[in-house]
Amino acid sequence: RLYLPWNIIAAEDAVGNGLEPDFLLALRTKVLDMWAVIGANGEVERLACWDLILADEELASIMGKGDQAKGKKMLECLKAIRALDWTGDGTIDFTKFQRLYLPWNIIAAEDAVGNGLEPDFLLALRTKVLDMWAVIGANGEVERLACWDLILADEELASIMGKGDQAKGKKMLECLKAIRALDWTGDGTIDFTKFQRLYLPWN
């Protein structure tokens, strides 16, 4: 696994964003200790799991590098974007729980907090995006340009994206279209995994 691209990218992201090895080790150790207590049955219901995560002051303190309030807000942002339950089945198993200490999730949460993206905003955006997909994604995928036509025509999405400023939100969406923020594979189609990128903090 030392030469696998996603591990190299994760390590490069960690170093580039100032995530020290000691910090990552402390966070991983804490996450594994937590799972040893709460994961006895192999999986935990998603919201119950997040209740336990958000109640843990030590985890918040480690996540925020000593700033417990910041760490808790980072965790709330991760909850809002469903950083753990990526399958959407409503449960958290060991593999999903480990995502708490992955560099890209830490960086996403830190970026969200650092740039004033409140958990309520992220939750509203994610909810809107999932509601949209329920309507347009019935066939499992949508042609890229047709998908963007639907995205850019949705005034409510633009308003949420722009935090009440619809014109700004539409311009932000147009920028995401310009950089192909969704169709990262370049195959010309948007599936559910790609569509969800609309609510990721780094986009």
Side-chain angles (χ1 to χ4, degrees), residues 124-194:
L125 182 58
R126 180 177 64 80
T127 300
K128 173 60 183 174
V129 168
L130 296 183
D131 287 348
M132 286 180 69
W133 185 256
V135 175
I136 70 174
N139 295 324
E141 64 180 28
V142 186
E143 190 275 328
R144 181 177 64 84
L145 293 179
C147 187
W148 274 109
D149 286 345
L150 294 168
I151 290 169
L152 293 174
D154 196 301
E155 295 180 353
E156 183 186 7
L157 175 64
S159 184
I160 294 171
M161 182 71 80
K163 299 179 185 175
D165 184 338
Q166 191 180 119
K168 177 185 175 185
K170 186 163 185 180
K171 188 159 281 191
M172 290 169 67
L173 290 166
E174 288 169 344
C175 287
L176 290 178
K177 177 185 177 183
I179 62 171
R180 289 207 177 173
L182 304 189
D183 183 21
W184 57 274
T185 63
D187 68 359
T189 63
I190 306 296
D191 60 15
F192 180 55
T193 300
K194 293 177 182 176

Side-chain angles (χ1 to χ4, degrees), residues 33-174:
D33 287 348
M34 286 179 69
W35 185 256
V37 175
I38 70 176
N41 295 324
E43 64 181 26
V44 186
E45 191 276 328
R46 181 177 63 85
L47 293 179
C49 188
W50 274 109
D51 286 344
L52 295 167
I53 290 168
L54 294 174
D56 196 302
E57 294 179 353
E58 183 186 8
L59 176 63
S61 184
I62 294 171
M63 182 69 79
K65 300 175 186 174
D67 184 338
Q68 191 179 117
K70 177 187 175 186
K72 185 164 185 180
K73 187 160 276 193
M74 289 171 66
L75 291 166
E76 288 170 345
C77 287
L78 290 177
K79 177 186 177 185
I81 63 169
R82 286 207 181 171
L84 304 190
D85 182 21
W86 58 274
T87 63
D89 68 1
T91 63
I92 306 296
D93 61 14
F94 180 55
T95 300
K96 293 177 182 176
F97 197 72
Q98 291 179 94
R99 293 169 66 89
L100 274 174
Y101 63 75
L102 294 181
W104 48 82
N105 279 332
I106 300 163
I107 293 163
E110 203 158 35
D111 283 351
V113 172
N115 287 283
L117 300 182
E118 293 292 328
D120 286 349
F121 161 75
L122 292 170
L123 179 58
L125 182 58
R126 180 177 64 80
T127 300
K128 173 60 183 174
V129 168
L130 296 183
D131 287 348
M132 286 180 69
W133 185 256
V135 175
I136 70 174
N139 295 324
E141 64 180 28
V142 186
E143 190 275 328
R144 181 177 64 84
L145 293 179
C147 187
W148 274 109
D149 286 345
L150 294 168
I151 290 169
L152 293 174
D154 196 301
E155 295 180 353
E156 183 186 7
L157 175 64
S159 184
I160 294 171
M161 182 71 80
K163 299 179 185 175
D165 184 338
Q166 191 180 119
K168 177 185 175 185
K170 186 163 185 180
K171 188 159 281 191
M172 290 169 67
L173 290 166
E174 288 169 344

